[in-house]
Amino acid sequence: MEVCHCSLSIQENPTFRNENIASSPTPPTLTTRHEPSQPEDQQPSLQGATSSWTSDGKLKIIDFTKTQELLVPAPSNPFEAFWLLLDDNYLDMIVHETNLNAVRVFGQPGVTEKSRITHWKDLDREELMIFLGLLIHTGTIRLNRLNDYWKKHWLFNLSCFSQYMSRNRFMLILRCLHFTSEPSDEDRLNKIRPIMDHFNNTMNAIYCPGKQLSLGESMVLWRGRLMFRRSVKIHMA
């Protein structure tokens, strides 16, 4: 079996050539070129190809064998529910990493005697719990700036913040808060990877979800620098 390939070639008529008159090409002519085709055993097979959909396929149904339940005793108050996600060992890890990061911040160039980091003192577990409580409370009382929670003006007088921690100490802990000291060039979430893994492992241990789940996404307005940021124009934060 041979396949015929057609190609165009333009030939010039020598009788019309003249030094003063441009040559006029003749109409294109067809020439054929024959090449051997592929062997029959190497040609693609059309067996199994269909031109219409069939309805004889069956979808495999996977039975749901789990039960939606809490795998630990039910908490009696919000503090016990919060404590299910954290434990003493993990809090001690955050304290350790934060203190190490404070030493690195103190050693950075540009630090002077008047810098806030020069007043750093080691963080402990009890103070970290106070810091986390105040940080969560800023989500229930919305103000424009963190400094506003420590204002003495009667419009902003929230005594619970200044009663438990000074503004400078809160800002300093927030500046040095850290979760890992291990660098990684491959994992862009390396700095928060330990807390993400801890949360996922803890949820697997304390809760079993049901068969039907509604998964949503939380959109947070972010104007900072993020290498893997994706812009979704149809979603407004």
Side-chain angles (χ1 to χ4, degrees):
M1 178 179 180
E2 295 184 352
V3 179
C4 179
H5 297 273
C6 297
S7 60
L8 291 175
S9 63
I10 300 177
Q11 298 179 355
E12 185 180 1
N13 192 340
T15 59
F16 289 93
R17 295 190 60 180
N18 191 289
E19 296 180 356
N20 299 325
I21 302 176
S23 61
S24 175
T26 60
T29 60
L30 292 176
T31 60
T32 59
R33 179 168 51 91
H34 299 276
E35 292 182 357
S37 61
Q38 295 181 350
E40 294 183 359
D41 57 348
Q42 296 182 4
Q43 293 183 1
S45 175
L46 299 179
Q47 295 180 358
T50 59
S51 59
S52 61
W53 290 95
T54 59
S55 59
D56 56 352
K58 294 182 179 180
L59 181 64
K60 182 179 180 181
I61 300 177
I62 302 177
D63 296 331
F64 184 79
T65 59
K66 296 291 185 177
T67 303
Q68 182 178 359
E69 60 179 344
L70 191 65
L71 304 178
V72 295
S76 59
N77 54 64
F79 180 77
E80 291 183 359
F82 175 77
W83 200 249
L84 290 176
L85 303 178
L86 294 177
D87 52 30
D88 292 340
N89 294 331
Y90 194 73
L91 291 176
D92 291 340
M93 185 276 294
I94 298 178
V95 169
H96 176 71
E97 293 294 340
T98 301
N99 289 329
L100 290 180
N101 189 45
V103 176
R104 288 191 292 267
V105 174
F106 183 80
Q108 291 179 352
V111 175
T112 63
E113 295 181 356
K114 296 183 179 180
S115 299
R116 185 177 296 174
I117 190 62
T118 58
H119 301 285
W120 174 264
K121 63 178 182 179
D122 285 345
L123 181 68
D124 55 25
R125 187 195 307 167
E126 181 180 358
E127 191 177 24
L128 177 61
M129 291 294 295
I130 296 175
F131 170 82
L132 293 177
L134 295 178
L135 185 63
I136 294 175
H137 196 35
T138 59
T140 60
I141 303 177
R142 300 295 183 89
L143 296 179
N144 292 332
R145 301 180 304 171
L146 284 176
N147 291 333
D148 294 340
Y149 292 96
W150 281 267
K151 280 187 175 181
K152 299 298 183 181
H153 193 275
W154 63 274
L155 291 176
F156 297 91
N157 191 12
L158 301 173
S159 59
C160 62
F161 286 87
S162 58
Q163 179 181 355
Y164 289 98
M165 185 174 292
S166 66
R167 180 199 61 186
N168 290 343
R169 180 60 176 173
F170 183 90
M171 294 297 185
L172 195 55
I173 296 176
L174 184 63
R175 169 66 180 85
C176 299
L177 188 64
H178 217 64
F179 303 107
T180 181
S181 300
E182 298 180 1
S184 176
D185 297 333
E186 299 179 356
D187 187 5
R188 294 179 178 177
L189 296 177
N190 174 62
K191 291 186 176 181
I192 60 173
R193 179 67 63 187
I195 196 171
M196 292 176 57
D197 293 341
H198 174 79
F199 177 81
N200 292 334
N201 295 333
T202 302
M203 292 302 298
N204 290 333
I206 67 176
Y207 180 70
C208 180
K211 179 179 180 180
Q212 298 178 353
L213 299 177
S214 177
L215 303 179
E217 58 180 345
S218 176
M219 303 297 295
V220 179
L221 181 61
W222 173 257
R223 300 186 184 277
R225 294 183 178 181
L226 193 61
M227 295 180 62
F228 50 89
R229 180 179 59 180
R230 295 293 181 269
S231 177
V232 184
K233 296 183 179 180
I234 61 175
H235 291 170
M236 299 299 293

